[in-house]
Amino acid sequence: MSRLRVDRLTAHGVLGACLEVEQGACSAIHGPSGSGKTLLLRAIADLDEADGEVWLDEAPRSTFSGPGWRRQVMYLAAESHWWEQTVGPHAVNWRTDDLDALGFDRDVLGWDIERLSSGERQRLALARALAHEPSALLLDEPTANLDAANTGRVERVIADWREAGGGCVLWVSHDPAQRIRVAGRQYHLFNGSLSPDDAD
Amino acid sequence: MQTDTLIALSPLDLGLAASLVLALAALSWQLRLGIGRRMLVAALRSTLQLLLLGLVLKGLFNSASPWLVAALATVMLGVAGYEVMARQRYRLRGAWGYGAGTLSMFLSSFSITLLALLTVLQPVPWYAPQYAIPLLGMLLGNTMNGIAVALDSLTRQTLEKRHQIEARLALGYTATEAIEHIRRDALRAGLIPIVNSMTTAGIVSLPGMMTGQILAGSPPMEAAKYQLLILFLIAAGTGLGSVAAVMIASQRLFDVRSRLRRERLSPHLHAPGHG
């Protein structure tokens, strides 16, 4: 049950961004390459220094510690990174339901990270993030390397997660059809400036 | 000191040993190993530095002034700190580039030298330069190597694995948790030399200090005990120093919000290492 509100966030590549995602809702962000989509998500997750404030429900980010905030408002990078040899050691508290829904067998935990395709890594990164039970997800092109079937799986897992816990999602996507499928409100980012689509 | 068994070395004796280095340099030139010049420069440097040290110590032993001992110790620390910084491929920007290594060497080498002087050796006065300076030199030299290797490993791996660190931060790991595996590797790298030399001491290698003492006429058992003392002190000093350096430097790699601040590392073009 969480609501995310970004208030005049300014960082490297981001100019006074304002946006709001209601609890259980999903907003989409689109914009040309290099317009600052990744920088915006990183600034919201407090991975880069930024001015302005971000609110989770009624609590401003400044009342959280850095790690405490990122555990709640979780950023999923476009390219996932792993630090152990196999999937298993990363899989602390992973939910088998998520693995099933993302199209993996139980033996995925024994797989070698090096031998995963980028699409497999991307789907596993979602399982890894959901295991931390965040309140909000910041998704950076989460289906960029996926075929239609796996894109559908990821969209379904995220929709189910929103419905079950009331978490909110900010979803960066290049695909207009996907944005319409998954998101309510849409934002457009151009040269670091964010504006709602309906205001155009 | 049994001066009667001490075989004094004549310039000719040293010249003989030096000619071996010259021969090696000639061989290097012949085989185009490209190390001859550096070898000669290093041999020349060590000759000048050690003779100078001999002179300085001779004067120091006669005066035994605590201020002179402190001054020499400060110079030694300053040079060691510079050496640690110069050996890093990537170093912290600003004062911490010099400070992280120097502060941790100060903390470890000086405190352990003090401890050894006050509780184990107990010379009178406790700062007697015959004991204080060689002991500090031995500790500084070894902690310097350990700290340089540990810091170089820490900063290099932080840059190489920055995406892993940020992936962990994004999952809500604290700075300490996010850099834990890199810290561990850095400490291990710094401590391997001293662990290796303790492991093989007396079997494969006769440690330099013990060799020198035996050649200078000390009874082997006494030499062995002194060597043990030194090995333990060095192990403790290198360990403490490396831990301190890695803690200080890894602290500086993150800010108050536990963000990775890789812009605080700058490449240093003249350091040895991978290109």
Side-chain angles (χ1 to χ4, degrees):
Chain A
M1 301 288 272
S2 334
R3 194 166 61 101
L4 189 71
R5 190 155 61 85
V6 176
D7 188 18
R8 278 164 296 172
L9 197 67
T10 299
H12 174 68
V14 182
L15 303 167
C18 294
L19 66 82
E20 213 172 315
V21 192
E22 292 300 328
Q23 70 177 49
C26 174
S27 294
I29 298 175
H30 61 104
S33 299
S35 58
K37 301 184 294 288
T38 296
L39 292 174
L40 173 64
L41 293 193
R42 285 178 57 94
I44 295 174
D46 209 4
L47 283 164
D48 291 329
E49 223 173 356
D51 291 327
E53 191 56 278
V54 188
W55 303 71
L56 186 65
D57 295 324
E58 301 310 314
R61 180 165 80 176
S62 42
T63 60
F64 292 77
S65 71
W69 174 261
R70 290 188 281 267
R71 213 168 298 133
Q72 297 297 320
V73 180
M74 195 162 286
Y75 167 63
L76 226 75
E79 200 183 322
S80 70
H81 291 273
W82 306 78
W83 48 90
E84 304 277 1
Q85 281 278 301
T86 60
V87 176
H90 301 90
V92 186
N93 303 325
W94 283 19
R95 294 185 303 202
T96 43
D97 291 0
D98 288 339
L99 283 181
D100 289 344
L102 289 166
F104 289 106
D105 287 330
R106 206 65 43 84
D107 61 352
V108 69
L109 299 185
W111 292 3
D112 217 341
I113 296 290
E114 295 275 312
R115 294 176 57 187
L116 297 173
S117 74
S118 51
E120 285 167 338
R121 272 186 228 192
Q122 210 162 17
R123 284 182 288 147
L124 287 171
L126 180 60
R128 185 175 71 181
L130 291 177
H132 288 268
E133 300 183 338
S135 304
L137 279 175
L138 311 173
L139 305 175
D140 197 349
E141 301 272 7
T143 61
N145 302 307
L146 304 184
D147 58 22
N150 280 319
T151 299
R153 287 191 171 114
V154 166
E155 289 177 3
R156 208 153 36 243
V157 165
I158 291 169
D160 289 348
W161 172 81
R162 276 164 51 198
E163 204 166 312
C168 58
V169 176
L170 202 51
W171 190 317
V172 167
S173 173
H174 273 304
D175 177 2
Q178 180 177 57
R179 293 199 296 273
I180 290 169
R181 278 200 304 277
V182 301
R185 202 176 304 177
Q186 293 198 28
Y187 293 88
H188 180 76
L189 193 63
F190 189 74
N191 277 344
S193 299
L194 189 74
S195 44
D197 267 8
D198 41 32
D200 287 347
Chain B
M1 197 62 159
Q2 294 145 308
T3 40
D4 48 287
T5 55
L6 177 64
I7 308 168
L9 294 177
S10 71
L12 187 70
D13 299 333
L14 283 179
L16 200 67
S19 68
L20 292 175
V21 178
L22 279 179
L24 184 63
L27 185 71
S28 152
W29 181 73
Q30 190 79 33
L31 296 176
R32 300 179 191 201
L33 299 179
I35 188 87
R37 207 185 129 80
R38 272 197 285 169
M39 172 88 72
L40 285 182
V41 170
L44 202 66
R45 266 191 69 162
S46 64
T47 309
L48 290 174
Q49 286 163 198
L50 288 179
L51 288 181
L52 197 66
L53 179 69
L55 277 179
V56 169
L57 288 184
K58 199 172 155 189
L60 198 63
F61 289 3
N62 291 334
S63 85
S65 144
W67 298 112
L68 281 180
V69 175
L72 184 60
T74 309
V75 171
M76 288 161 73
L77 177 68
V79 175
Y82 178 80
E83 194 61 31
V84 165
M85 183 178 70
R87 286 190 203 172
Q88 286 174 69
R89 177 109 178 79
Y90 304 100
R91 62 164 82 135
L92 290 169
R93 283 182 202 276
W96 285 110
Y98 183 76
T102 312
L103 180 63
S104 22
M105 269 190 296
F106 174 74
L107 289 176
S108 61
S109 299
F110 278 59
S111 59
I112 289 192
T113 304
L114 267 183
L115 185 83
L117 287 174
L118 293 177
T119 64
V120 184
L121 294 170
Q122 297 183 321
V124 181
W126 64 266
Y127 54 82
Q130 288 92 322
Y131 296 88
I133 295 298
L135 205 55
L136 183 64
M138 196 80 105
L139 277 164
L140 269 180
N142 283 282
T143 47
M144 174 181 81
N145 288 331
I147 288 174
V149 170
L151 277 182
D152 188 52
S153 164
L154 179 81
T155 51
R156 190 192 299 263
Q157 290 206 56
T158 298
L159 280 183
E160 275 170 12
K161 298 185 175 168
R162 60 181 182 274
H163 296 300
Q164 289 182 10
I165 298 176
E166 289 216 309
R168 290 155 73 100
L169 287 177
L171 290 169
Y173 285 49
T174 63
T176 308
E177 291 164 344
I179 203 171
E180 198 176 42
H181 56 314
I182 289 171
R183 251 188 197 175
R184 205 169 35 228
D185 281 356
L187 281 177
R188 197 174 302 153
L191 292 183
I192 278 174
I194 178 63
V195 170
N196 285 347
S197 69
M198 282 202 290
T199 308
T200 58
I203 303 176
V204 182
S205 63
L206 204 54
M209 190 197 89
M210 188 167 162
T211 310
Q213 267 198 314
I214 291 176
L215 289 183
S218 296
M221 263 326 265
E222 291 311 304
K225 284 192 279 184
Y226 265 94
Q227 183 63 56
L228 267 181
L229 175 71
I230 291 294
L231 275 178
F232 293 156
L233 295 181
I234 287 174
T238 311
L240 284 178
S242 303
V243 169
V246 164
M247 291 294 179
I248 293 171
S250 58
Q251 198 86 34
R252 285 293 303 162
L253 292 172
F254 296 89
D255 63 16
V256 283
R257 302 288 297 170
S258 301
R259 306 180 194 106
L260 180 66
R261 303 303 292 264
R262 68 176 153 121
E263 77 279 6
R264 289 185 184 166
L265 285 175
S266 67
H268 170 42
L269 301 176
H270 303 296
H274 312 299

